[in-house]
Amino acid sequence: MIHVKKAFVIGYPIKHSRSPLMHGHWLKEHGIAGSYEPIEVSPEALPGFLDRIRSGEFVGGNVTVPHKEDAWKLVDFRDVDTDHLKAFNTLSQLATADGIAIYGQNTDLYGFLANLDQQAPGWDAGIDNAIVLGAGGAARAVAAALALRVSGSVRVLNRTADRAGALAADMPGRLEGHGLDSFASLAPDTRFVVNTTTIGMHGTRFDDLPLHLLPRDALVTDIVYVPLVTPLLADARALGLRTVDGLGMLLHQAVPGFEAWFGVRPEVTPELRAKIEATL
Ligand code: NAP
């Protein structure tokens, strides 16, 4: 009898997730007898659901809004490199002497960097300072990723400046917290800008973001990928700045989970990207 390995993506709601399409593509590509199903789980039901990994029913799965922070609290073992993000999106089985335990990690940090490395190889050479727009959940992973790669300051700018300050204080090092209105004064010596706010979704745009003050060789990226070319990216392109869209982050963050559950490291190919892009 073939043993079918089962994985999941849980959220509340979950029906708009593109993860089943991505993992289904890789399962088929590698001829793996496995499954990856979207399951709606309410916050109250989360602890009980996670026991289905410990019982061996699931090899693991992805966790999305609103469960990432609770997943970080509820796992048995935490990935040392992403523990400080206090939010996990990828869970897998860990065999211990006492039975199956749950291992948690945050793969958004990896996905953010892998997308840039694929779309703009060498992007981090010569980048000193970086601006992160936003200080929400995704901003934590992005700011931590940039702190690994840029040589100068990671400037977190948020509508609610206190929240940017709190994020910077939580991850001491080269992070600084500012209000969004500091963009004009910080832009002239910043060669990298990333949007992690929800602005851009449904074509929304920042009220006043003077991109023309950035150096001409600056790179602008967005982690919002619906639409693929957000107004921020369109404005940056119009000024002749380099841009990278956010769809690749979604694709790459899925790689470590698939490898942990099914034993094969999958590739983010143009074919996979086109398949997901067609659903946007
Ligand atoms: P979140 O925790 O709710 O944070 C939202 C952020 O947006 C906060 O910084 C908030 O500022 C800011 N914001 C919201 N409305 C604003 C407005 N009108 N003006 C200025 N700032 C505003 O959300 P999240 O989980 O970090 O997700 C943020 C975005 O990233 C979402 O669109 C999500 O889909 C996307 N994302 C993409 C990927 C990917 O793989 N590409 C991965 C993760 C997330 P305040 O603090 O002032 O409220």
mmCIF file of all heavy atoms in Angstrom, residues 134-138 158-160 163 196-199 201 223-225 246 249-250, ligand 1:
data_model
loop_
_atom_site.group_PDB
_atom_site.id
_atom_site.type_symbol
_atom_site.label_atom_id
_atom_site.label_comp_id
_atom_site.label_asym_id
_atom_site.label_seq_id
_atom_site.Cartn_x
_atom_site.Cartn_y
_atom_site.Cartn_z
ATOM 1 N N GLY A 134 6.253 50.274 6.429
ATOM 2 C CA GLY A 134 5.351 49.392 7.177
ATOM 3 C C GLY A 134 6.052 48.765 8.364
ATOM 4 O O GLY A 134 7.291 48.620 8.374
ATOM 5 N N ALA A 135 5.261 48.427 9.385
ATOM 6 C CA ALA A 135 5.828 47.803 10.596
ATOM 7 C C ALA A 135 4.896 46.717 11.115
ATOM 8 O O ALA A 135 4.815 46.476 12.314
ATOM 9 C CB ALA A 135 6.072 48.873 11.659
ATOM 10 N N GLY A 136 4.184 46.050 10.206
ATOM 11 C CA GLY A 136 3.276 44.974 10.593
ATOM 12 C C GLY A 136 3.989 43.636 10.636
ATOM 13 O O GLY A 136 5.224 43.569 10.762
ATOM 14 N N GLY A 137 3.229 42.559 10.517
ATOM 15 C CA GLY A 137 3.792 41.213 10.626
ATOM 16 C C GLY A 137 4.842 40.934 9.560
ATOM 17 O O GLY A 137 5.942 40.451 9.866
ATOM 18 N N ALA A 138 4.540 41.248 8.315
ATOM 19 C CA ALA A 138 5.478 40.946 7.233
ATOM 20 C C ALA A 138 6.733 41.812 7.335
ATOM 21 O O ALA A 138 7.839 41.368 6.975
ATOM 22 C CB ALA A 138 4.793 41.160 5.887
ATOM 23 N N ASN A 158 6.742 53.906 9.325
ATOM 24 C CA ASN A 158 5.352 53.456 9.433
ATOM 25 C C ASN A 158 4.414 54.618 9.697
ATOM 26 O O ASN A 158 4.798 55.609 10.317
ATOM 27 C CB ASN A 158 5.230 52.427 10.574
ATOM 28 C CG ASN A 158 3.963 51.618 10.484
ATOM 29 O OD1 ASN A 158 3.565 51.199 9.388
ATOM 30 N ND2 ASN A 158 3.308 51.393 11.609
ATOM 31 N N ARG A 159 3.154 54.476 9.202
ATOM 32 C CA ARG A 159 2.118 55.483 9.489
ATOM 33 C C ARG A 159 2.063 55.747 10.992
ATOM 34 O O ARG A 159 2.096 56.880 11.441
ATOM 35 C CB ARG A 159 0.771 54.970 8.973
ATOM 36 C CG ARG A 159 -0.395 55.838 9.346
ATOM 37 C CD ARG A 159 -1.671 55.296 8.757
ATOM 38 N NE ARG A 159 -2.028 53.966 9.262
ATOM 39 C CZ ARG A 159 -3.129 53.317 8.942
ATOM 40 N NH1 ARG A 159 -3.979 53.858 8.073
ATOM 41 N NH2 ARG A 159 -3.384 52.117 9.437
ATOM 42 N N THR A 160 2.006 54.657 11.777
ATOM 43 C CA THR A 160 2.054 54.786 13.231
ATOM 44 C C THR A 160 3.512 54.652 13.650
ATOM 45 O O THR A 160 4.051 53.543 13.745
ATOM 46 C CB THR A 160 1.200 53.666 13.887
ATOM 47 O OG1 THR A 160 -0.063 53.624 13.232
ATOM 48 C CG2 THR A 160 1.017 53.894 15.371
ATOM 49 N N ARG A 163 4.875 52.244 16.309
ATOM 50 C CA ARG A 163 4.965 50.824 15.971
ATOM 51 C C ARG A 163 6.301 50.520 15.270
ATOM 52 O O ARG A 163 6.883 49.455 15.471
ATOM 53 C CB ARG A 163 3.778 50.456 15.075
ATOM 54 C CG ARG A 163 3.431 49.020 15.106
ATOM 55 C CD ARG A 163 2.151 48.765 14.332
ATOM 56 N NE ARG A 163 1.893 47.348 14.225
ATOM 57 C CZ ARG A 163 1.082 46.812 13.333
ATOM 58 N NH1 ARG A 163 0.425 47.572 12.475
ATOM 59 N NH2 ARG A 163 0.908 45.506 13.286
ATOM 60 N N THR A 196 5.940 47.030 2.640
ATOM 61 C CA THR A 196 5.329 45.875 3.319
ATOM 62 C C THR A 196 3.969 46.255 3.907
ATOM 63 O O THR A 196 3.416 45.506 4.696
ATOM 64 C CB THR A 196 6.225 45.344 4.464
ATOM 65 O OG1 THR A 196 6.179 46.282 5.558
ATOM 66 C CG2 THR A 196 7.647 45.130 4.037
ATOM 67 N N THR A 197 3.468 47.461 3.572
ATOM 68 C CA THR A 197 2.129 47.830 4.058
ATOM 69 C C THR A 197 1.094 47.194 3.136
ATOM 70 O O THR A 197 1.433 46.592 2.111
ATOM 71 C CB THR A 197 1.919 49.363 4.044
ATOM 72 O OG1 THR A 197 1.743 49.787 2.690
ATOM 73 C CG2 THR A 197 3.080 50.109 4.682
ATOM 74 N N THR A 198 -0.162 47.362 3.486
ATOM 75 C CA THR A 198 -1.220 46.839 2.617
ATOM 76 C C THR A 198 -1.538 47.819 1.490
ATOM 77 O O THR A 198 -2.349 47.501 0.615
ATOM 78 C CB THR A 198 -2.493 46.579 3.456
ATOM 79 O OG1 THR A 198 -2.747 47.736 4.263
ATOM 80 C CG2 THR A 198 -2.321 45.392 4.372
ATOM 81 N N ILE A 199 -0.878 48.981 1.479
ATOM 82 C CA ILE A 199 -1.093 49.945 0.386
ATOM 83 C C ILE A 199 -0.551 49.335 -0.911
ATOM 84 O O ILE A 199 0.549 48.784 -0.933
ATOM 85 C CB ILE A 199 -0.388 51.280 0.685
ATOM 86 C CG1 ILE A 199 -1.049 51.929 1.902
ATOM 87 C CG2 ILE A 199 -0.475 52.205 -0.520
ATOM 88 C CD1 ILE A 199 -0.467 53.268 2.259
ATOM 89 N N MET A 201 -2.617 47.177 -2.568
ATOM 90 C CA MET A 201 -3.697 46.224 -2.817
ATOM 91 C C MET A 201 -4.860 46.994 -3.441
ATOM 92 O O MET A 201 -5.146 48.115 -3.025
ATOM 93 C CB MET A 201 -4.153 45.569 -1.506
ATOM 94 C CG MET A 201 -3.094 44.670 -0.899
ATOM 95 S SD MET A 201 -3.586 44.062 0.723
ATOM 96 C CE MET A 201 -4.631 42.694 0.277
ATOM 97 N N ILE A 223 6.018 43.850 -1.552
ATOM 98 C CA ILE A 223 5.634 42.462 -1.282
ATOM 99 C C ILE A 223 4.156 42.235 -1.569
ATOM 100 O O ILE A 223 3.692 41.114 -1.556
ATOM 101 C CB ILE A 223 6.040 41.988 0.134
ATOM 102 C CG1 ILE A 223 5.193 42.629 1.225
ATOM 103 C CG2 ILE A 223 7.517 42.255 0.397
ATOM 104 C CD1 ILE A 223 5.336 41.884 2.553
ATOM 105 N N VAL A 224 3.419 43.327 -1.820
ATOM 106 C CA VAL A 224 2.045 43.178 -2.319
ATOM 107 C C VAL A 224 2.153 42.692 -3.766
ATOM 108 O O VAL A 224 2.940 43.230 -4.541
ATOM 109 C CB VAL A 224 1.293 44.527 -2.262
ATOM 110 C CG1 VAL A 224 -0.064 44.423 -2.952
ATOM 111 C CG2 VAL A 224 1.104 44.967 -0.806
ATOM 112 N N TYR A 225 1.414 41.642 -4.142
ATOM 113 C CA TYR A 225 1.528 41.117 -5.506
ATOM 114 C C TYR A 225 0.191 41.089 -6.243
ATOM 115 O O TYR A 225 0.115 40.556 -7.358
ATOM 116 C CB TYR A 225 2.183 39.722 -5.491
ATOM 117 C CG TYR A 225 1.478 38.731 -4.604
ATOM 118 C CD1 TYR A 225 0.411 37.988 -5.080
ATOM 119 C CD2 TYR A 225 1.870 38.566 -3.284
ATOM 120 C CE1 TYR A 225 -0.249 37.098 -4.257
ATOM 121 C CE2 TYR A 225 1.208 37.684 -2.447
ATOM 122 C CZ TYR A 225 0.154 36.953 -2.942
ATOM 123 O OH TYR A 225 -0.513 36.076 -2.127
ATOM 124 N N GLY A 246 6.447 41.337 -6.012
ATOM 125 C CA GLY A 246 6.400 40.501 -4.812
ATOM 126 C C GLY A 246 5.908 39.081 -5.003
ATOM 127 O O GLY A 246 5.874 38.309 -4.035
ATOM 128 N N MET A 249 8.260 36.225 -3.825
ATOM 129 C CA MET A 249 8.379 35.964 -2.378
ATOM 130 C C MET A 249 7.385 34.884 -1.977
ATOM 131 O O MET A 249 7.716 33.967 -1.219
ATOM 132 C CB MET A 249 8.133 37.250 -1.593
ATOM 133 C CG MET A 249 8.153 37.069 -0.084
ATOM 134 S SD MET A 249 7.974 38.659 0.760
ATOM 135 C CE MET A 249 7.758 38.128 2.453
ATOM 136 N N LEU A 250 6.165 34.986 -2.502
ATOM 137 C CA LEU A 250 5.140 33.980 -2.203
ATOM 138 C C LEU A 250 5.601 32.592 -2.676
ATOM 139 O O LEU A 250 5.438 31.592 -1.972
ATOM 140 C CB LEU A 250 3.827 34.355 -2.906
ATOM 141 C CG LEU A 250 2.710 33.334 -2.786
ATOM 142 C CD1 LEU A 250 2.070 33.436 -1.410
ATOM 143 C CD2 LEU A 250 1.661 33.538 -3.871
HETATM 144 P P1 NAP B 1 -0.317 43.875 8.924
HETATM 145 O O1 NAP B 1 0.442 43.168 9.995
HETATM 146 O O2 NAP B 1 -1.777 44.109 9.081
HETATM 147 O O3 NAP B 1 0.404 45.314 8.717
HETATM 148 C C1 NAP B 1 -0.176 46.293 7.891
HETATM 149 C C2 NAP B 1 0.792 47.465 7.688
HETATM 150 O O4 NAP B 1 0.212 48.345 6.701
HETATM 151 C C3 NAP B 1 1.033 48.324 8.939
HETATM 152 O O5 NAP B 1 2.350 48.803 8.913
HETATM 153 C C4 NAP B 1 0.021 49.473 8.739
HETATM 154 O O6 NAP B 1 0.374 50.664 9.402
HETATM 155 C C5 NAP B 1 0.133 49.665 7.253
HETATM 156 N N1 NAP B 1 -1.033 50.353 6.681
HETATM 157 C C6 NAP B 1 -2.275 49.840 6.516
HETATM 158 N N2 NAP B 1 -3.091 50.768 5.938
HETATM 159 C C7 NAP B 1 -2.327 51.894 5.772
HETATM 160 C C8 NAP B 1 -2.577 53.189 5.239
HETATM 161 N N3 NAP B 1 -3.787 53.528 4.752
HETATM 162 N N4 NAP B 1 -1.575 54.089 5.191
HETATM 163 C C9 NAP B 1 -0.341 53.761 5.662
HETATM 164 N N5 NAP B 1 -0.027 52.541 6.181
HETATM 165 C C10 NAP B 1 -1.017 51.620 6.240
HETATM 166 O O7 NAP B 1 -0.161 43.136 7.526
HETATM 167 P P2 NAP B 1 1.007 42.110 7.055
HETATM 168 O O8 NAP B 1 0.665 40.736 7.473
HETATM 169 O O9 NAP B 1 2.323 42.686 7.466
HETATM 170 O O10 NAP B 1 0.853 42.150 5.464
HETATM 171 C C11 NAP B 1 1.110 43.338 4.743
HETATM 172 C C12 NAP B 1 0.990 43.066 3.236
HETATM 173 O O11 NAP B 1 2.034 42.188 2.831
HETATM 174 C C13 NAP B 1 -0.327 42.381 2.823
HETATM 175 O O12 NAP B 1 -0.766 43.000 1.629
HETATM 176 C C14 NAP B 1 0.085 40.952 2.553
HETATM 177 O O13 NAP B 1 -0.729 40.329 1.567
HETATM 178 C C15 NAP B 1 1.494 41.152 2.015
HETATM 179 N N6 NAP B 1 2.361 39.943 2.183
HETATM 180 C C16 NAP B 1 2.933 39.419 1.063
HETATM 181 C C17 NAP B 1 3.758 38.298 1.188
HETATM 182 C C18 NAP B 1 4.378 37.683 -0.036
HETATM 183 O O14 NAP B 1 4.746 36.498 0.016
HETATM 184 N N7 NAP B 1 4.561 38.428 -1.140
HETATM 185 C C19 NAP B 1 4.009 37.734 2.457
HETATM 186 C C20 NAP B 1 3.411 38.315 3.585
HETATM 187 C C21 NAP B 1 2.588 39.431 3.425
HETATM 188 P P3 NAP B 1 -0.149 50.992 10.903
HETATM 189 O O15 NAP B 1 0.772 50.238 11.848
HETATM 190 O O16 NAP B 1 -0.020 52.473 11.011
HETATM 191 O O17 NAP B 1 -1.569 50.509 10.981
#
